[in-house]
Structure formats: structure tokens, C-alpha cells
Amino acid sequence: MQDIFVNKTTLCPSARPEPADSVIFGVIGGTGAEPRVAYLKQPQPVTEELIAKANPVTPAEIFRTAASCAESGCQHFDGKDCRLAMRIVEKLPAVVEELPPCSIRRDCRWWKQEGKAACMRCPQVITDNYNPSEIMRNVATPTTGF
């Protein structure tokens, strides 16, 4: 299989699908109360055709996408670390017992920063979640003052 990443970069596993370098690495399944990511064997480039398949919901409701980490351009980045990854590890329970079969792990910001602890929580993260639990809402809210 061809590696679709032309230039290696650190990937944000919670990126919006709109950046030009976005890839889909998972599909959201589970239930509304307990959503879970089903990981793709190989990340797929975000295309207009895939975006259209999401209709009538937003692509980020059903796809997990990754793109180059925006670093200082992101509200969760403190200049060194992803505060979202830190809050996920600190506040969310692990939802799997083994590392999920993730196709972006080697380039993932959360993996590089938080290791296995982030991966054990990642399957419950949904970028566009319109019915989040209180804890998920708290985790997703950017911190200020860093």
C-alpha cells in the first residue's frame, strides 16, 4: 500500500476535515451515549465524495480526521504541548484495554506527547459531538492562561 503522507509531520487526531492535508483515520460507531471510533486500516484522504457521504450531518460527526498539528494556531496548544491531549488523559476513563489499531499513531501528537494513556481514551473522542457528557464538555473546553 502506498503511504499517503508525503511529508512527515505531527498530526492532530482531532482536526477538522477542512484542511487540505486532512485524512480520515476512523469512523464513528457505537451509540449516542457511548460513541466509539472504528479505526481504518489505512488513512484515507478527505475528498468531496467522502464529505458528501456524511450528509445530512457534519463530517466530523461520523469521521475522525487528522491533519497537521496547527501548534500555536490552535486554541489547545500552550506553546509546547497539546492541552486537549493532557485533559483527555487526566479526566477521561480508558475505554479499551489494548492499544487500538490506529493507522496514524506514529505521527500522532497525542501519542507522541501522552503515549498509551491517550490511545486508551481516543476511541471515545468525537470532534462534533452535539450531545456530550458534562465531563466530555469540560475536557473539550480550551484552558486559558498558559
Side-chain angles (χ1 to χ4, degrees):
M1 286 191 191
Q2 181 181 350
D3 190 356
I4 64 168
F5 299 111
V6 176
N7 47 2
K8 297 298 178 202
T9 185
T10 299
L11 296 175
C12 169
S14 189
R16 306 288 316 161
E18 292 82 9
D21 67 342
S22 291
V23 294
I24 296 170
F25 69 96
V27 177
I28 308 304
T31 66
E34 291 188 13
R36 293 292 181 267
V37 174
Y39 294 89
L40 302 179
K41 290 182 185 210
Q42 188 75 14
Q44 300 297 310
V46 174
T47 64
E48 291 300 320
E49 181 181 4
L50 282 172
I51 296 296
K53 289 183 186 292
N55 199 18
V57 300
T58 69
E61 284 181 80
I62 59 170
F63 299 126
R64 276 290 296 279
T65 55
S68 296
C69 176
E71 295 186 349
S72 61
C74 177
Q75 61 189 347
H76 295 290
F77 197 71
D78 68 6
K80 179 180 176 271
D81 290 317
C82 175
R83 305 288 296 172
L84 177 59
M86 294 169 81
R87 289 191 305 276
I88 285 170
V89 168
E90 290 171 2
K91 297 180 179 185
L92 293 179
V95 293
V96 294
E97 295 179 12
E98 300 177 356
L99 283 175
C102 180
S103 59
I104 67 160
R105 182 172 295 121
R106 71 173 184 219
D107 299 312
C108 178
R109 158 88 48 208
W110 296 359
W111 167 256
K112 290 179 177 184
Q113 179 183 313
E114 302 292 332
K116 182 179 179 180
C119 297
M120 305 300 267
R121 291 154 175 83
C122 184
Q124 66 193 307
V125 176
I126 311 305
T127 304
D128 282 357
N129 186 343
Y130 296 106
N131 191 26
S133 65
E134 184 176 343
I135 190 168
M136 191 62 79
R137 198 171 18 259
N138 289 337
V139 167
T141 302
T143 54
T144 58
F146 42 78

